[in-house]
Each structure stands twice: as C-alpha cells, then as structure tokens.
Amino acid sequence: METEGTQGLRGTRSGHVPRQAVPPRPAAPPSAGPGGQAFVDWLRAPRTEAEPGIWAFGHRPRPPEEPDRIPGRQLISGALIAFLCGWLLWSLCWNGYLGSYWLWPLFLLTPDSWREAGGAQLAFVWATYLYYGLFALLLVVVFGRLGRWAEVWRRYGAGALRRVWDDTSAQPPAEPHTDPAAWPALREAGAPDIADRLAEEARAGRMTDVDQARIDRAWQSVRSRPERLAAFTETVRREGAAACAHPSGARDLTVRTARHDLLTRQVRIGTTAEDRRNPYAYRGTGFALGPGLLGTSLLAVGPAGAGKTGRVVRPVLESLCLQALAGQAAVVSVGAAGAPLAPDDAFDVVIRIGRPESEYDLDLYGGTTDPDEAAGVLAEALIGDLVVTDPVADTRRAATALAQLLGPYRAVHGRFPSVPELRELLDGGSAALGVLRSSLEGSAQAALLRELDARERQSGRAGDVAALLADRLALLDRPAFADFFDTAGKTRPFSLRALEHPLRVRIDLPERGHTDASRLLTRLVLAQFTECATGRADRSLFACLVLDDATQTVTAESLRGIQRLRSANAGAVLTLRTLEDVPEPLRTATLGAVGCRMAFAGVTTWDGARFAEVWGKEWVETRDVTNRQIIADEPLTRVVHTVRRLVTGRAVTAESVTVRTVERERWSASELAHAVPAGHAVLSLTTVRGDHAPPLLVDLRE
C-alpha cells in the first residue's frame, strides 16, 4: 500500500529514503513507551485545549483568578481563631460562668407555669434543648462568617472530597464510538474488524504510542486518497500494530529521557513557575513544545552549562525522532562530535564528517542540478558571515562567480566539481580553465563560453571575490576531509532533498582543530535546509533543523530563510552562548526572525537588554505607600503616643497609599541577568497560527 514514503525505499538522493544507520532493532516495541493498560489509559486521558506552551496531557484549567484572594495561611489561621472564640463562648455559657443571662430569651418565650412544680416541665425541657440548638446554630453562623469557614470548605474540603469520590467511584466503560482506544474513526468508516484488531493489540500490550500515531497518520492519508483503503485494511489485518512501519523497522526509541505525548505531539521540558510575573493561567502548569511552536523557530541563549542542550535541545530532538518514526516529521540535527544529543540508533543517517568510518557523506551542493541554485547556497556558506565586516564579501557577486564556473564544469563533466577542483578553478588556474574552454569550444555551448570568459576577465582584478571564496574553500580542502564531499560517485552522499520523507539525520562536526570548517559546514547545512524545506512539493511532514551551536552561523540571508520556514511547515532550533556570537547589525533581527525566544539563567545584561527590548513593555498597577508621623495636640493623646513609642520603638505614623498605572518592561535587563534562578529560563512563544504567550519564567528541572 501507499504509505507516503514510510516504507521500502533506498538511497540518499532526492526522492529516496536511506535505511537506518545501524542494524534495525527487533519488530517488537521496546518498553520505552506506554503499553498494555498504561497505553489504554494514556489514550483515554483528557487533553484540554490550552494556551500556547501548556502541557495538554491531563491539564485542568485553573479556576478564575481572584484578585482579592486571601492567602491560605491567613485564611486557615482566621478560621481557627474564630472557631476557638466560638467554642470558648459556648463553654462559658454551657458551664454557667455567664449565669442565666444568656437564657433570658428562653424565659421570655416560655410560660412561667412550665418551670413551676406540677407544671409542664417536660415541655420546658424540650424547649430548652431546642433553644440550645438554635443558640449553637447562631454561634456557628456568626463565627463561621467571621472566620470565612465557607471559603475554607470551598478551597480545601470540597476539592479533596471530589478527588476522593473520583478515585473511589467506578467509572462506566466507554462506548466504542467514543472510546479512543476502540478506534472510533475506523468504525465510522465501515471497518469495525480493523478497529477490533487494533483495540485487541492495544489491550494485549503489543501497541505503543508510536504505533498509534503512525497508524493514525497512515489512516489520515487513506482518508485523503480512498483508493488506498483496501491496501491499508489488508496491511493492518496482517501485521496489526506493526503495520505501516518506518523504513528502519524501528517502532520506538531505545531510551526516552523526557515525557512525550504523541497525540498532541508535545514534549514536556519543565514547569511554569509560581511567579507574579507569569500570567495566572500559566502558573504551576506543565510547559511543553511541539510543532505548532517550533514552526516559528526557536532561539535559546545562555552560557555554557545553563542547560540548553540537556534540557531543551535533547528533549526536542527526541520528540522529533519519535514523530519521524510515526511518519509525522523529518529532523536534521547538527552538533559537535560527541555532543550528548541522542544515541546513534535514534537516527537513520549519521554523517561523521572528518572520520573515515562514516557510512554517509554530505552532498556539498544539496542534491541540486541547477548551477545557479548550487552557487547561491555555497556562496552563503562560504562568505555569508563576512558580508557585514568585509567590504569584498558580497553573496550575490560570490554566487555569480561560482555559477560562472559550476555551469561550464557540469556541462563538460556531467557533475559539479569536487572541493580541490573548485578551489583550483577559483584560484584562476590557467590549466583548469583551459581544459574547460577547450571542451566547451567543441560543443554548441556559446552561452557557457561567455560565462567562462566573464570569469576570466574578472579574475585577477582588485576586489575579485573569487580569491576570498578560494581562501574560505581551503578550510574544506584538508587531508581530514579528503574522503568527503565527493562528487564522482565514490561515496554515499546524503542530500537534504530527502526531507519529503520521515528521516532522522545527525551530522557530527569535527570541532577539534577544525572550528572554522565546522562553522562553515553549519552555515552550509542551514542554507541547504532552508532551500530544500521551502522547495518541497509535499509539505505534510514537519521538517526541523536542530543546531546545537549556531555560533557565527546567523547571516542576513539565513534569517530571511528562517522566516520563510514558517509557511513551509518547517522550523529551526538554534542555541547560542551569547548574542555576541552574532554580528552587531543582526542581533535585533535575529530575535525578530524567530517566534520563540529563550533567555537562560546567567545571560549578560547586554544580552538581557536585547531580550527586554524585543519583549517590550506592559501596563502595571503600582502602589506607593507613604508614612507620615502623627503629632497629637491633646495631652491624653500625647501620653498614649509616648507610651506606644516606648513600647514599639517607633513613632506613631499614618499610612497613605497611592495607586498608579505605569508602563514597565516585562523583564528588565537586570532581572534577566540576576533574578533568573539556576535551572530556569524566561521564554516567549508564538504559534504558527499567530497566538502569543508573554515571557514566562519556566523551571526546566521539573
């Protein structure tokens, strides 16, 4: 059956899906995800539509905010004091310490004959008990109102009783047409036997959350193309929960380090702090990220050791890998070799640049056959970071110079040049250019000859960008990379054109001794990703690029590419130690190009000022309290004030409160630099639909 590229294809070029980089695991799902009854309970758990970033699994909205809400300690102490006062008054009355004065209403309302010898004394006894009851009820009402007992019951007693009732009461079994574990969509479509088969797989513990998400994804494709229904039902009937498997054969990750909910495609990364600066609806709720937020791209800034990799990048990458196994996403991760991102078996393709044992190679030209497109991407990677500082660097001129060489070379050799060959052409070597010219003169390629002539005229002139391109390309023309970036078909190059398939790709960069080359390669991958993600014919898969370190990667062109990802069902996750790693003219634009911004504990005040500027200001209510000394004129009042000053050590004052509404920064630069606790981060959110969330203080340790 058709599975939208989730089965059976080989290769690494556009339109082909490579197999897993390590031997596939057994078909039986591991115990990382929920299975059996736990899986059924996970399916049936409530998920509430909430504000952006709130962990929807089991979320219950908070009750409406009460601005005059009494603190819990004050409420309990007041209720206890009122109870003790009422009990004391009742004891004094009951034990006769107040005499019979409290009984005068009883004497007033009953006949004297009831209290005389031979009278209706039994009636008086009953009247007395009734009076005691009414008096006790009066005490309860009076002191209950004084102690706010109704508020105590509503806040603590009723909620606890309701939870106990929910836990002990038997829940009625869910109906098949409403039970998520019974696959009601399949039943409504006229396939009850398939729904029964999948429900049995779930109850027997042979289905996990990844299986459910993957089969549901395949079912959605069947609904859009009904001719696939027969093949889908046959596959599910034959393979059960293993149907429509990922090309790698994997049905889960061996290890999960975060909490995931594949029904909402969220990963929980922390808890929103109970802080006055956080909106009331967010306080104390779980915080999560998903494609709806990552589709606007995420920038995380914080010093080394702040938790960017372990508490944000790895959970997000893990979630995207799970979604790729479910046929919902494609992910590309770029980081230094040895970075704790995810194990090798979590990826289908692992490219270890600079290491001979690497099974895959990186396509230097992004899998394109268009010389102009290849030249534009390569120019951005080579000198995109120099445009701001070097007057010679111009990506448009660089792209033109490269296209003048790539076009003729491809026409002659049927492929693009390798790194040494391209470097020689950029250096203006007469031998290399002569071979190209002689080959073109023997064919009807007049236009390409003119391109070559123009390149020869410009070479050697002052300010020729080709010399700068050759110098930067020399970073890749090193012995460590001799076996990489091959264009002659000797290796297995991987192209980001394969993002139309649910791939999991990791690219390890050679950080030690090749820092500049690693940053050049990071810019190359970013440029290729934005070009390929926006150029996909099928954008049903969410594509995401995760850069564990984006130092000297952000350029003016890459920012424009990141902004285009939002409309292409794609996004990027970038981390920086400081905004100083971005050229000065681009720092504000960098924060403006992404929809989700994170400032970790430990950022500098200079970085904090940038975040404070982009987050803007809000109207807040301030209270100014003024104390003025009271000067008494009366002699008796003076004596009282003197005694009070001797006892308290302070003069008698009167308090004056002024309430004003002023505009203040949501988070100031000083607060971001000094008031964010360790293990926390402040982040703002924007969804692909345009919903916003103000800066939130989030505890990433919970």
Side-chain angles (χ1 to χ4, degrees):
M1 62 169 286
E2 292 283 346
T3 57
E4 296 188 327
T6 60
Q7 297 189 48
L9 297 177
R10 273 190 177 273
T12 57
R13 295 288 184 175
S14 175
H16 294 80
V17 179
R19 293 291 179 177
Q20 197 173 12
V22 296
R25 299 185 295 276
S31 58
Q37 186 58 42
F39 169 73
V40 175
D41 295 339
W42 170 80
L43 274 179
R44 294 172 176 172
R47 292 167 176 83
T48 306
E49 280 288 332
E51 300 294 329
I54 290 181
W55 174 250
F57 178 77
H59 171 68
R60 291 183 179 180
R62 303 187 70 174
E65 183 177 9
E66 301 173 14
D68 299 328
R69 181 182 174 93
I70 302 172
R73 180 180 299 179
Q74 179 181 344
L75 183 65
I76 295 296
S77 61
L80 181 60
I81 292 174
F83 172 77
L84 293 177
C85 292
W87 180 260
L88 177 62
L89 180 58
W90 172 259
S91 300
L92 293 175
C93 295
W94 181 263
N95 294 318
Y97 293 108
L98 297 181
S100 59
Y101 296 106
W102 67 289
L103 296 175
W104 67 267
L106 175 64
F107 298 151
L108 182 64
L109 297 175
T110 56
D112 295 337
S113 60
W114 286 8
R115 296 186 296 275
E116 296 176 355
Q121 295 181 355
L122 182 60
F124 181 74
V125 171
W126 283 106
T128 302
Y129 284 139
L130 178 61
Y131 178 79
Y132 288 166
L134 294 176
F135 186 78
L137 180 61
L138 178 63
L139 292 180
V140 170
V141 172
V142 172
F143 286 96
R145 290 181 63 86
L146 292 176
R148 300 184 179 91
W149 292 355
E151 173 66 15
V152 173
W153 169 256
R154 184 179 63 83
R155 192 180 300 185
Y156 300 105
L161 184 62
R162 189 182 302 110
R163 287 191 295 270
V164 172
W165 174 261
D166 293 340
D167 293 339
T168 57
S169 60
Q171 298 294 333
E175 297 293 334
H177 64 279
T178 59
D179 185 6
W183 296 84
L186 290 176
R187 298 182 187 277
E188 293 176 2
D193 55 334
I194 302 301
D196 291 338
R197 172 68 191 277
L198 293 175
E200 176 58 29
E201 293 278 283
R203 289 191 296 269
R206 294 188 293 269
M207 179 180 289
T208 65
D209 52 352
V210 178
D211 296 330
Q212 190 277 338
R214 186 185 65 252
I215 296 174
D216 184 69
R217 162 75 178 179
W219 169 246
Q220 297 302 324
S221 68
V222 169
R223 293 183 62 182
S224 61
R225 297 182 60 180
E227 66 271 13
R228 298 178 176 180
L229 179 59
F232 172 79
T233 55
E234 177 60 29
T235 302
V236 174
R237 187 179 293 108
R238 182 178 65 253
E239 301 180 10
C244 312
H246 189 265
S248 66
R251 293 169 55 190
D252 210 332
L253 300 179
T254 53
V255 178
R256 296 191 187 189
T257 60
R259 294 179 60 186
H260 303 273
D261 184 23
L262 290 182
L263 275 184
T264 57
R265 302 175 68 180
Q266 287 184 314
V267 55
R268 178 165 177 161
I269 64 171
T271 302
T272 310
E274 289 277 1
D275 189 271
R276 61 175 178 81
R277 288 166 291 199
N278 287 338
Y280 175 77
Y282 280 92
R283 295 174 191 172
T285 63
F287 186 84
L289 295 174
L293 294 171
L294 298 178
T296 61
S297 297
L298 167 69
L299 174 66
V301 180
K308 301 186 299 296
T309 300
R311 292 172 177 159
V312 175
V313 173
R314 178 159 184 172
V316 168
L317 182 58
E318 192 175 276
S319 175
L320 293 170
C321 288
L322 288 172
Q323 293 177 43
L325 291 179
Q328 299 172 336
V331 57
V332 179
S333 169
V334 181
L341 297 178
D344 290 353
D345 60 358
F347 298 93
D348 305 304
V349 175
V350 177
I351 305 174
R352 298 180 174 90
I353 299 177
R355 297 178 62 179
E357 68 273 15
S358 178
E359 183 180 357
Y360 288 94
D361 188 9
L362 180 64
D363 192 328
L364 188 65
Y365 301 99
T368 183
T369 58
D370 183 359
D372 293 324
E373 181 181 345
V377 172
L378 192 56
E380 168 65 18
L382 292 175
I383 65 170
D385 61 321
L386 301 178
V387 173
V388 178
T389 58
D390 193 335
V392 177
D394 186 325
T395 53
R396 288 177 296 181
R397 292 174 52 207
T400 301
L402 286 170
Q404 290 171 343
L405 296 173
L406 295 181
Y409 191 96
R410 180 172 178 79
V412 172
H413 299 279
R415 61 177 177 85
F416 289 124
S418 62
V419 171
E421 293 168 338
L422 181 58
R423 182 184 179 187
E424 184 180 4
L425 292 172
L426 290 171
D427 283 333
S430 56
L433 293 176
V435 171
L436 273 183
R437 175 176 294 279
S438 61
S439 300
L440 290 174
E441 288 174 349
S443 61
Q445 299 286 349
L448 295 178
L449 276 173
R450 287 194 299 270
E451 291 283 323
L452 201 58
D453 291 340
R455 176 88 297 273
E456 289 180 335
R457 287 194 303 270
Q458 295 170 5
S459 63
R461 292 183 179 180
D464 182 24
V465 73
L468 181 59
L469 289 171
D471 290 341
R472 299 306 294 270
L473 193 62
L475 296 173
L476 302 182
D477 191 15
R478 307 295 300 166
F481 309 131
D483 297 330
F484 288 85
F485 318 119
D486 176 67
T487 59
K490 299 178 181 178
T491 60
R492 299 180 63 185
F494 173 77
S495 166
L496 293 182
R497 299 266 169 194
L499 288 177
E500 293 185 352
H501 305 285
L503 282 175
R504 303 167 295 164
V505 183
R506 193 184 76 199
I507 301 176
D508 291 344
L509 301 175
E511 284 286 345
R512 293 184 179 179
H514 302 281
T515 303
D516 292 335
S518 296
R519 291 171 179 172
L520 188 154
L521 291 172
T522 304
R523 290 193 299 271
L524 176 65
V525 174
L526 178 57
Q528 291 184 358
F529 178 84
T530 55
E531 188 70 26
C532 295
T534 55
R536 293 180 298 169
D538 182 7
R539 297 180 177 180
S540 59
L541 293 180
F542 175 71
C544 189
L545 173 66
V546 180
L547 298 182
D548 187 42
D549 185 4
T551 301
Q552 295 186 9
T553 300
V554 177
T555 65
E557 186 61 33
S558 67
L559 291 180
R560 285 190 284 268
I562 289 174
Q563 289 175 318
R564 293 198 306 268
L565 294 177
R566 179 172 177 175
S567 60
N569 193 23
V573 177
L574 301 87
T575 68
L576 291 169
R577 293 184 179 90
T578 173
L579 288 175
E580 300 292 329
D581 293 332
V582 178
E584 170 65 27
L586 299 179
R587 290 171 190 169
T588 302
T590 300
L591 291 173
V594 298
C596 303
R597 312 169 186 95
M598 295 186 69
F600 281 75
V603 298
T604 63
T605 52
W606 295 275
D607 288 346
R610 298 283 183 178
F611 279 97
E613 180 183 4
V614 76
W615 282 334
K617 300 179 179 181
E618 64 178 345
W619 291 99
V620 296
E621 186 178 87
T622 62
R623 299 169 62 91
D624 296 331
V625 180
T626 304
N627 291 322
R628 61 179 181 85
Q629 183 176 354
I630 299 177
I631 300 177
D633 296 329
E634 299 295 331
L636 181 60
T637 307
R638 288 183 180 181
V639 172
V640 173
H641 286 187
T642 301
V643 174
R644 183 174 177 181
R645 183 168 51 194
L646 291 175
V647 173
T648 62
R650 299 179 181 178
V652 180
T653 60
E655 186 177 272
S656 174
V657 179
T658 303
V659 180
R660 296 184 301 169
T661 302
V662 298
E663 193 177 20
R664 288 184 178 176
E665 292 177 326
R666 298 177 185 271
W667 280 83
S668 68
S670 179
E671 288 175 328
L672 289 172
H674 305 293
V676 179
H680 290 64
V682 180
L683 69 160
S684 62
L685 304 172
T686 304
T687 68
V688 293
R689 296 180 300 180
D691 298 327
H692 297 269
L696 306 170
L697 178 63
V698 178
D699 187 352
L700 302 174
R701 301 168 301 180
E702 299 182 2

